[in-house]
Amino acid sequence: MLFFEPGLALPPTAVRTAALRAQVRQFIAEEIASGGFEPQCNSWTEGLDGAFSRKLGQRGWIGYHWPTAYGGHGGSAFDTLTINEELLAAGAPVAAHWIAARQSAPLLMRFGSEAQRQAFLPRIAAGDTYFAIGMSEPDVGSDLASVRTRAEFSGGRWRLQGRKVWTSGAHIAHFAIVLCRTAPLDPKTRHAGLSQFIVDLKAPGVSIRPIVMLDGSHHFNEVTFDGVELAPDSLVGQAGDGWKQVTSELAYERSGPERFLSTMPIVERCLRLVLTDAPAAADIAAGRLLARLMTLRNMSLAIWGALEAGRSPAIEAAMVKDLGTNYERDTLELVRDAMDADARVAGDSALAHLLVAAWPLAPTYNLRGGTNEILRNMIAKQLQAR
């Protein structure tokens, strides 16, 4: 994915990035050749493989840009982005550690206590500890200010009561960071009174029920908290700071390359087939896919730069999520039409297999991470305010 004119000298950072990218690609090729994994779409939600996550952790490829004190290599955010791009583009099974590395760790890095950082970040970097997101609730959807899960402080401990839904990977995760109310809802300031807690998903009072998809796959769950006792040090940051924290967290959730690379194995397979012979009908689809892909990648790069600089580009991240998930859904349509119109791709069984596996999950693209309709309202309000 590096685009430089032949013969031009690369800047030092680009040389380092190119070397890292080559290492990841070699590792992926060896894993596929040895039967370590079979490329799949939606690998960051469907590819639940703890052994593969531990292999990445052994190479230092989870949280590569984190400080060494927390298990990282002290690289740049773009080093981590390089690793993630290659893994997603290859359809590698990264779902086990994905949420923990993508947003739980940055949240703890920014708002957590030093004890929390020391307890969790090295284990996440090693690929040994997984987190789930405890945000969405039944009847609440993307309106997180309306969450009804609550935590009450009594006798020196918090007690958590409520229910979360669409909780990806909760059945294999060790912990969840749960957004809940620690003060009564004030209709005039709905975002106040929210807090976040680190919850052990094996603790008494936690129950996890699978939500099975149309194709029989399972990564979503419903998680119920029935009087779960939480120690004071499970609170992330300060009580009442939950909205500020979750807004920062969502910038990581919505802006990453997984928002437009979930279907990249289909795109890559289609492009390889298109390049095998003279131009034909599928070239139009290939051009459309590549043009949009590069635009989305540039947008994502800009947001990662802002995050590394300490900013919280929530609205820009919402734009990437909206445009990226629409791109993923359009990918399936464009490639399917190309298979009908172009002999170069029509009979390819590998491409057909990828399409068949991806179709049942396509309706979720515009839902996960916040529905696109809600995100467009956020974007419109922000632009109007400017």
Side-chain angles (χ1 to χ4, degrees), residues 34-75:
S34 66
F37 73 88
E38 181 180 338
Q40 66 181 121
C41 294
N42 307 298
S43 64
W44 63 279
T45 59
E46 300 294 305
L48 294 164
D49 186 342
F52 187 82
S53 292
R54 287 189 290 275
K55 288 181 181 180
L56 296 179
Q58 290 166 3
R59 287 163 174 76
W61 289 347
I62 300 175
Y64 191 88
H65 67 293
W66 301 349
T68 55
Y70 302 136
H73 279 239

Side-chain angles (χ1 to χ4, degrees), residues 117-137:
R117 298 186 193 109
Q118 293 289 350
F120 295 108
L121 298 184
R123 292 154 62 188
I124 293 172
D128 289 331
T129 296
Y130 317 134
F131 274 70
I133 303 170
M135 293 185 191
S136 297
E137 297 185 3

Side-chain angles (χ1 to χ4, degrees), residues 140-157:
V140 170
S142 301
D143 183 14
L144 294 178
S146 298
V147 298
R148 290 172 290 192
T149 296
R150 66 187 187 278
E152 297 177 351
F153 193 74
S154 176
R157 300 182 74 81

Side-chain angles (χ1 to χ4, degrees), residues 210-234:
I211 299 175
V212 180
M213 303 298 288
L214 285 172
D215 63 350
S217 63
H218 165 220
H219 71 269
F220 282 140
N221 301 274
E222 178 185 58
V223 184
T224 302
F225 307 102
D226 187 7
V228 180
E229 290 194 3
L230 303 173
D233 61 3
S234 64

Side-chain angles (χ1 to χ4, degrees), residues 299-362:
M299 292 174 69
S300 182
L301 284 169
I303 293 172
W304 272 70
L307 290 168
E308 188 173 36
R311 299 194 296 275
S312 182
I315 298 303
E316 293 85 347
M319 292 179 180
V320 170
K321 194 274 179 185
D322 179 22
L323 295 172
T325 54
N326 280 318
Y327 167 78
E328 290 178 331
R329 293 189 67 169
D330 291 347
T331 292
L332 304 184
E333 298 280 358
L334 286 167
V335 173
R336 182 188 63 180
D337 290 347
M339 292 186 76
D340 289 338
D342 194 321
R344 293 173 298 175
V345 297
D348 189 73
S349 59
L351 183 58
H353 174 75
L354 288 168
L355 274 174
V356 168
W359 270 111
L361 296 175

Side-chain angles (χ1 to χ4, degrees), residues 159-182:
R159 284 173 173 76
L160 184 66
Q161 194 79 29
R163 187 161 52 127
K164 297 293 179 178
V165 76
W166 313 122
T167 314
S168 296
H171 58 299
I172 69 158
H174 303 96
F175 300 92
I177 294 182
V178 177
L179 177 69
C180 62
R181 291 215 153 270
T182 51

Side-chain angles (χ1 to χ4, degrees), residues 251-264:
Y252 288 95
E253 181 178 353
R254 292 169 174 166
S255 65
E258 71 271 27
R259 294 304 172 190
F260 53 90
L261 292 181
S262 294
T263 54
M264 189 61 192

